[in-house]
């Protein structure tokens, strides 16, 4: 699914660039005074020069954006970059005139017969006429060096500034993405140790009591630890694996509870072929057990997971019976980190409702996983 998404994104990018290039190439055609609705305009020498120049300017745009800027400018090799720009500009000035003056695109004129009048453009220059025509740049009625440079300067400058602006914009977005990824990793690592310490305390308590549940608890703990080590570096994991991890965590918590806890777990829907960002849900369950279980009171905790049409509905409910916990600050930080994590990884693809009173606490989270 992820591979097909990347393919379509690449295809969309290719098609958009192709469309843009074709649109730009149509500008000199439709704006030419020699354009009569047919392709005969391509036989006109001045148009040929302008069209070739336009093609070279577009080519330079992509060359500068994808090679010169990242390879030389971005690595502070400014001298090499300057040489590349100067060579590119020289080619944009010279190549159109070289190609068109050499009759690359036009037919050769028929051979002249004895006594035929000489065409004006082919009249030989006398020594009194001043400068001889520049080799490779056509006849005496062709544009001068200054005219060629000026006609190439504006489109080249526009191409240069456009590619530089787009490159800087891409660089800025990459920096923002890297910063966002670093923030996500920071949030993730803040969330993980908090509940892992609680798991270790639970197993330690069982070992002190020499409970028969201790071996099973150690097995569940190894499953949890393995999942944390193997999956914590991934951006997304299979939803089935994340739910199995949650079940192992719940099993560990239930080992240290007694009959005073009324616990229910409900799972509805097909969890296969769906991905989720890891460690998003566990914090809500951890806090439900922290504040929802008290051996001296009737406690109630429920976890409900429903998947329908690619939307995960995750509901955690608990009665507030453990008011002796003195980690209010850590509780708020944990939830705040989870909320921030959700905003980062599922912007505009999740909704969360919190129902909190003096007696109950309920979280209703919905995430679109497609």
């Amino acid at each position: 699914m992820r591979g097909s998404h990347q393919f379509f994104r690449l295809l969309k990018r290719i098609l958009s660039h192709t469309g843009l290039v074709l649109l730009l190439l149509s500008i000199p055609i439709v704006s030419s005074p020699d354009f009569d609705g047919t392709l005969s305009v391509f036989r006109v020498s001045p148009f040929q020069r302008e069209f070739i120049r336009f093609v070279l300017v577009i080519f330079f745009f992509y060359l500068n954006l994808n090679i010169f800027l990242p390879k030389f400018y971005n690595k502070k090799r400014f001298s090499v970059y300057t040489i590349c720009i100067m060579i590119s500009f020289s080619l944009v000035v010279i190549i159109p005139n070289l190609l068109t003056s050499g009759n690359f695109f036009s037919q050769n004129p028929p051979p002249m017969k004895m006594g035929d009048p000489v065409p004006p453009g082919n009249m030989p220059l006398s020594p009194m006429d001043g400068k001889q025509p520049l080799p490779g740049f056509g006849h005496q009625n062709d544009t001068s060096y200054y005219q060629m440079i000026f006609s190439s300067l504006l489109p080249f400058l526009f191409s240069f500034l456009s590619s530089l602006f787009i490159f800087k914009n891409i660089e800025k977005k990459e920096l923002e993405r890297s910063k966002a990824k670093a923030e996500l990793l920071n949030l993730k690592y803040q969330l993980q140790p908090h509940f892992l310490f609680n798991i270790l305390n639970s197993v330690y308590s069982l070992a002190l009591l020499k409970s028969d549940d201790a071996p099973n608890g150690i097995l569940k703990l190894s499953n949890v630890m393995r999942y944390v080590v193997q999956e914590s570096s991934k951006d997304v994991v299979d939803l089935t694996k994340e739910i199995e991890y949650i079940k192992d965590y719940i099993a560990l918590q239930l080992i240290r509870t007694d009959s005073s806890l009324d616990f229910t777990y409900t799972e509805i829907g097909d969890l296969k072929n769906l991905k989720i960002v890891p460690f998003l849900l566990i914090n809500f369950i951890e806090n439900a057990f922290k504040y929802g279980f008290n051996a001296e009171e009737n406690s109630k905790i429920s976890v409900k997971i429903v998947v329908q049409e690619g939307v995960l509905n995750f509901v955690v409910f608990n009665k507030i019976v453990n008011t002796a916990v003195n980690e209010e600050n850590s509780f708020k930080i944990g939830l705040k980190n989870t909320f921030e994590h959700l905003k980062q990884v599922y912007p505009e693809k999740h909704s969360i409702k919190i129902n909190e009173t003096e007696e109950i606490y309920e979280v209703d989270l919905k995430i679109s996983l497609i």
Side-chain angles (χ1 to χ4, degrees):
M1 185 180 294
R2 195 175 180 185
S4 62
H5 177 69
Q6 290 178 343
F7 171 76
F8 284 117
R9 189 168 60 181
L10 177 62
L11 182 62
K12 182 180 177 182
R13 186 179 178 185
I14 292 172
L15 291 176
S16 63
H17 279 278
T18 304
L20 177 62
V21 169
L22 292 176
L23 179 64
L24 291 174
L25 289 178
S26 69
I27 294 175
I29 299 175
V30 298
S31 62
S32 173
D34 300 306
F35 180 62
D36 58 359
T38 67
L39 296 180
S40 61
V41 69
F42 282 92
R43 292 196 291 269
V44 180
S45 182
F47 171 78
Q48 291 173 359
R49 275 195 297 271
E50 291 306 314
F51 188 77
I52 294 170
R53 184 177 291 115
F54 219 79
V55 171
L56 291 174
V57 165
I58 293 173
F59 180 74
F60 166 74
F61 170 85
Y62 284 102
L63 192 66
N64 192 38
L65 180 63
N66 296 298
I67 297 179
F68 294 163
L69 285 168
K71 297 288 184 182
F72 306 127
Y73 178 86
N74 213 34
K75 294 182 179 179
K76 301 188 183 304
R77 299 173 65 185
F78 298 122
S79 57
V80 178
Y81 179 72
T82 303
I83 292 171
C84 290
I85 298 301
M86 292 176 67
I87 292 174
S88 299
F89 180 66
S90 300
L91 293 176
V92 169
V93 173
I94 295 171
I95 288 177
N97 294 279
L98 276 176
L99 294 181
T100 54
S101 65
N103 292 324
F104 281 75
F105 296 93
S106 59
Q107 297 179 349
N108 290 324
M112 295 177 61
K113 297 179 180 178
M114 183 76 68
D116 286 346
V118 179
N122 293 330
M123 290 290 289
L125 292 176
S126 66
M128 299 300 293
D129 286 331
K131 296 181 179 178
Q132 294 293 322
L134 295 168
F137 286 91
H139 306 290
Q140 65 178 14
N141 59 347
D142 278 353
T143 56
S144 67
Y145 271 121
Y146 293 112
Q147 288 173 322
M148 290 187 298
I149 291 173
F150 182 75
S151 61
S152 302
L153 181 60
L154 291 180
F156 184 86
L157 190 61
F158 178 79
S159 178
F160 169 76
L161 293 176
S162 298
S163 56
L164 181 62
F165 174 78
I166 292 173
F167 179 77
K168 288 292 185 182
N169 196 40
I170 292 172
E171 202 175 40
K172 182 181 177 183
K173 288 182 178 178
E174 286 293 333
L175 186 63
E176 289 174 353
R177 274 197 289 267
S178 299
K179 183 180 177 183
K181 192 170 184 179
E183 289 175 354
L184 288 181
L185 287 172
N186 184 44
L187 289 172
K188 187 186 291 185
Y189 292 135
Q190 285 184 50
L191 291 172
Q192 291 171 15
H194 192 57
F195 62 80
L196 284 176
F197 286 137
N198 284 347
I199 292 173
L200 289 170
N201 286 334
S202 300
V203 175
Y204 177 69
S205 300
L206 290 173
L208 287 178
L209 296 171
K210 298 182 180 179
S211 169
D212 294 336
D213 292 325
N216 185 46
I218 293 172
L219 178 63
K220 296 294 183 186
L221 177 60
S222 68
N223 291 340
V224 169
M225 295 293 289
R226 186 183 302 111
Y227 182 82
V228 170
V229 171
Q230 292 179 351
E231 310 296 332
S232 62
S233 60
K234 296 181 180 178
D235 293 331
V236 292
V237 296
D238 292 335
L239 181 60
T240 51
K241 289 184 178 180
E242 183 73 6
I243 298 304
E244 284 302 315
Y245 160 68
I246 286 173
K247 288 179 182 176
D248 285 335
Y249 178 85
I250 291 173
L252 280 171
Q253 293 289 358
L254 291 177
I255 288 173
R256 67 184 183 89
T257 63
D258 53 30
S259 58
S260 64
L261 174 64
D262 176 13
F263 177 81
T264 57
Y265 176 86
T266 308
E267 186 180 308
I268 302 172
D270 186 8
L271 279 60
K272 296 177 182 177
N273 303 319
L274 290 173
K275 302 281 188 179
I276 190 171
V277 174
F279 309 111
L280 270 181
L281 310 176
I282 196 69
N283 198 46
F284 297 111
I285 295 176
E286 177 200 5
N287 285 295
F289 276 97
K290 184 187 296 183
Y291 294 94
F293 171 67
N294 187 342
E296 299 176 0
E297 297 184 39
N298 290 328
S299 309
K300 180 174 178 59
I301 299 174
S302 67
V303 177
K304 185 177 181 181
I305 297 173
V306 180
V307 176
Q308 188 174 9
E309 297 180 353
V311 177
L312 169 67
N313 186 201
F314 179 72
V315 182
V316 180
F317 170 90
N318 67 272
K319 287 175 64 178
I320 299 176
V321 293
N322 191 3
T323 56
V325 177
N326 58 358
E327 298 180 8
E328 184 67 22
N329 245 1
S330 130
F331 168 71
K332 287 181 178 179
I333 291 172
L335 282 183
K336 183 181 177 182
N337 286 342
T338 303
F339 296 151
E340 288 297 323
H341 201 178
L342 278 166
K343 287 178 185 178
Q344 292 278 352
V345 296
Y346 291 110
E348 299 180 3
K349 294 187 72 175
H350 79 280
S351 64
I352 186 165
K353 296 179 182 177
I354 305 243
N355 180 19
E356 181 179 10
T357 67
E358 292 182 357
E359 298 180 351
I360 67 154
Y361 189 90
E362 184 180 32
V363 175
D364 187 345
L365 172 63
K366 291 181 180 177
I367 306 175
S368 175
L369 299 179
I370 56 175

